Amino acid sequence: MSAVMVDDHHHDGPDSGIKRWICTTNHKDIGTLYLWFAMIMFFLGGLMALVVRAELFQPGLQFVDPQFFNSMTTMHALLMIFGVVMPAFTGLANWLIPMMVGGTDMALPRLNNWSFWLLPFAFTMLLATLFVPGGAPAGGWTLYPPLTLQTGAALPLLIFAIHLMGMSSIMGAINVIATILNMRAPGMTLMKMPMFVWTWLITAYLLIAVMPVLAGGVTMLLTDKYFGTSFFNAAGGGDPVMFQHIFWFFGHPEVYILILPSFGVISMILPTFARKPLFGYNSMVYATASIAFLSFVVWAHHMFTVGMPLAAQLFFMLSTMLIAVPTGVKVFNWVATMWRGSMTFETPMLFAIGFIVLFTIGGFSGLMLAIVPADYQYHDTYFVVAHFHYVLVPGSIFAIMAAVYYWLPKWTGHLYNETLGKWHFWLSTIFVNLTFFPMHFTGLAGMPRRIPDYALQFTDYNMLASIGAFGFGLAQLLFLYIVVATVRGGERATDRVWDGADGLEWTLPSPPPYHTFTTPPQIR
């Protein structure tokens, strides 16, 4: 009897005021906190990118000194990766996974609260480095020694902030795995789970596997700087290339941590607006698992120019090309899902199609980078910048926006303004291409990345890229306006917001009650 008598009074409804948000263990509240945190970091990281693009509008040093310029590139990357994409997807996971699997909440609600509240402290510490002697970190987001070891007082703050972000990610991942494996509704086998749930389950295992590797690498940097070790110091018998191996063993799976949840989002949206089931569900699951497995054996393709033996170069070249196969399977399945469907083009569908087209361009330039002799030309040029921004901006950011437009009416109970949503999509798509497509050409012509000044022949393309960047930044103010306006009110949304939508979350009222499934639904 005593096992049933649980003190449940704090589960009746939300506290009022600020206490609701600080003490909450509700998955919807915590999901909302993550999403708003990601939005704030998106604009901060975007401002840093605009400092970079303003400086590069013309050759010569215009606005900032080279040290601050390098700090901006470094901080922009750290904020966008660890402060925008990862928290946004964790917010989506918090909101959606319990509703999709028919659970009451996340499996570990108090741990969930802690995983979020580590982040504001971590990023306050990271942003505080802008005000310490010696300035913010300026060694690139990859933190390569010996350059990063020349950082001033900011280094320990940076490394402690990374540790806090890593703790947050690992706890969030443990929570996701526990929720998905233990709290599914009766009858929901693994192969009946929505694709978003599958991609997050696999992403969570990746996070647990690689975040400690990053923690180890940056801790070795810390001991090299302050405790007299020589892990990466050649003068003491260490090797700076070892840091690259450690970093990229984390860094390449990290790229898939940033993109796999996007694949899940797109796999939910396309069937809804094509009005037919996802083509090849089983092959999608196996492809996702294959990508995750292969992500551990391709790390050194970031390091072809360090003087690796030929056998290693060949291995990493071929394994990198191999990872294109499961990714190609996914793209084929998405196109086949749309093929001969009764398609309509609401904003989520536009972002999903934009994702497929532009992500594929990023994938092709990735295959170019995988070819060792060609990579000697592309390495450390703007071609690489173009490649990974095509993967991460239309990849992760567009997928997050697609998800917000798709589920926002369900979350708020209000419909957003469809006309403004389409304006946001078209402005974002035009400007994202204007920003990053010219970078392919400057890179192929030999313009190095992470430089505040450049030769005259690169001027025109850099002007185009800077105009595109400012246009893209302004377009995101429209996104902020749409989200705030929808949260505050608007036309009432029905329970099944989209007529082709399928899944447990669409069986709930809009907005869903504070506690979703008190009795788990039966899956037929």
Side-chain angles (χ1 to χ4, degrees):
M1 185 64 190
S2 62
V4 185
M5 294 171 65
V6 181
D7 171 21
D8 238 357
H9 69 269
H10 66 288
H11 280 311
D12 296 337
D15 288 324
S16 54
I18 190 79
K19 189 173 175 219
R20 167 180 176 178
W21 298 103
I22 292 173
C23 302
T24 182
T25 53
N26 181 277
H27 73 100
K28 301 181 184 75
D29 282 355
I30 293 170
T32 304
L33 285 169
Y34 269 113
L35 288 166
W36 277 113
F37 177 82
M39 182 80 98
I40 293 163
M41 289 295 139
F42 182 52
F43 282 100
L44 274 174
L47 279 173
M48 293 175 180
L50 294 184
V51 171
V52 170
R53 286 316 320 172
E55 180 56 64
L56 292 172
F57 185 71
Q58 285 184 305
L61 295 177
Q62 321 288 329
F63 302 109
V64 294
D65 64 89
Q67 167 74 19
F68 187 73
F69 179 89
N70 286 340
S71 290
M72 286 292 98
T73 58
T74 304
M75 296 286 278
H76 161 72
L78 291 168
L79 256 68
M80 287 298 188
I81 291 168
F82 296 110
V84 178
V85 179
M86 291 169 76
F89 279 133
T90 311
L92 291 173
N94 265 292
W95 250 106
L96 298 170
I97 288 175
M99 298 201 304
M100 285 179 168
V101 300
T104 48
D105 202 306
M106 295 295 275
L108 307 161
R110 286 189 177 86
L111 189 74
N112 205 8
N113 174 290
W114 196 36
S115 344
F116 171 75
W117 281 108
L118 282 173
L119 287 180
F121 293 98
F123 282 90
T124 303
M125 203 180 309
L126 182 61
L127 290 165
T129 61
L130 290 163
F131 307 102
V132 300
W141 82 279
T142 51
L143 312 174
Y144 281 179
L147 183 60
T148 291
L149 294 174
Q150 295 163 21
T151 308
L155 189 70
L157 289 170
L158 164 73
I159 287 170
F160 194 46
I162 288 174
H163 277 296
L164 289 180
M165 296 168 206
M167 286 167 64
S168 165
S169 294
I170 289 169
M171 291 192 298
I174 290 169
N175 210 344
V176 165
I177 292 169
T179 304
I180 295 171
L181 295 186
N182 296 316
M183 299 185 69
R184 299 195 306 283
M188 182 176 280
T189 60
L190 286 174
M191 293 311 275
K192 283 184 187 167
M193 294 196 308
M195 267 316 294
F196 180 75
V197 179
W198 256 117
T199 53
W200 241 111
L201 179 64
I202 291 166
T203 301
Y205 280 110
L206 284 178
L207 277 164
I208 291 171
V210 301
M211 291 315 282
V213 179
L214 176 66
V218 296
T219 306
M220 289 153 87
L221 280 178
L222 192 72
T223 61
D224 268 14
K225 173 102 169 164
Y226 294 104
F227 297 101
T229 58
S230 293
F231 291 115
F232 311 126
N233 178 3
D239 184 359
V241 174
M242 180 167 77
F243 180 83
Q244 297 191 27
H245 280 290
I246 295 168
F247 180 86
W248 287 116
F249 190 78
F250 146 79
H252 206 81
E254 168 68 17
V255 174
Y256 291 100
I257 288 165
L258 301 175
I259 203 71
L260 288 182
S262 303
F263 293 169
V265 167
I266 302 306
S267 301
M268 304 299 292
I269 291 173
L270 287 178
T272 298
F273 296 103
R275 290 166 183 77
K276 49 186 281 212
L278 182 69
F279 182 89
Y281 171 90
N282 288 20
S283 63
M284 286 294 247
V285 172
Y286 298 132
T288 310
S290 314
I291 289 171
F293 172 75
L294 288 168
S295 73
F296 285 100
V297 293
V298 297
W299 78 88
H301 67 209
H302 299 266
M303 304 166 47
F304 283 148
T305 58
V306 301
M308 275 193 289
L310 184 63
Q313 289 185 333
L314 278 171
F315 171 79
F316 286 108
M317 176 168 85
L318 296 171
S319 60
T320 303
M321 291 180 168
L322 191 61
I323 212 165
V325 176
T327 314
V329 167
K330 287 183 160 303
V331 173
F332 173 83
N333 284 9
W334 289 326
V335 173
T337 303
M338 294 188 284
W339 179 251
R340 303 185 79 169
S342 317
M343 285 207 289
T344 51
F345 299 98
E346 287 85 349
T347 310
M349 185 62 160
L350 290 175
F351 272 102
I353 295 170
F355 166 95
I356 294 170
V357 174
L358 299 178
F359 176 78
T360 305
I361 294 173
F364 278 131
S365 59
L367 273 173
M368 292 168 71
L369 287 159
I371 302 163
V372 176
D375 185 74
Y376 273 77
Q377 293 297 315
Y378 308 139
H379 189 78
D380 255 338
T381 70
Y382 259 81
F383 189 84
V384 179
V385 181
H387 156 69
F388 70 66
H389 282 90
Y390 260 91
V391 175
L392 288 180
V393 182
S396 300
I397 302 291
F398 272 29
I400 291 163
M401 289 169 176
V404 169
Y405 283 116
Y406 186 58
W407 281 291
L408 191 65
K410 169 57 68 185
W411 299 337
T412 60
H414 305 131
L415 298 174
Y416 61 87
N417 183 322
E418 189 66 59
T419 309
L420 287 181
K422 286 181 172 157
W423 267 101
H424 173 230
F425 167 75
W426 284 111
L427 288 170
S428 296
T429 303
I430 290 163
F431 284 125
V432 94
N433 283 295
L434 185 60
T435 308
F436 299 115
F437 208 78
M439 292 181 187
H440 291 104
F441 302 122
T442 52
L444 289 172
M447 181 174 160
R449 60 179 175 164
R450 296 183 190 158
I451 52 164
D453 188 12
Y454 52 84
L456 285 171
Q457 73 260 32
F458 301 125
T459 308
D460 293 351
Y461 282 141
N462 273 298
M463 277 186 165
L464 283 177
S466 292
I467 292 166
F470 278 87
F472 184 76
L474 287 170
Q476 303 326 306
L477 295 172
L478 182 59
F479 179 55
L480 180 63
Y481 170 78
I482 293 167
V483 171
V484 171
T486 311
V487 170
R488 293 179 66 174
E491 195 185 330
R492 298 296 303 169
T494 56
D495 293 353
R496 188 179 297 273
V497 180
W498 314 104
D499 58 356
D502 189 31
L504 287 178
E505 74 267 35
W506 305 108
T507 62
L508 298 164
S510 300
Y514 196 64
H515 298 290
T516 314
F517 292 104
T518 39
T519 52
Q522 285 287 335
I523 308 296
R524 296 280 180 276

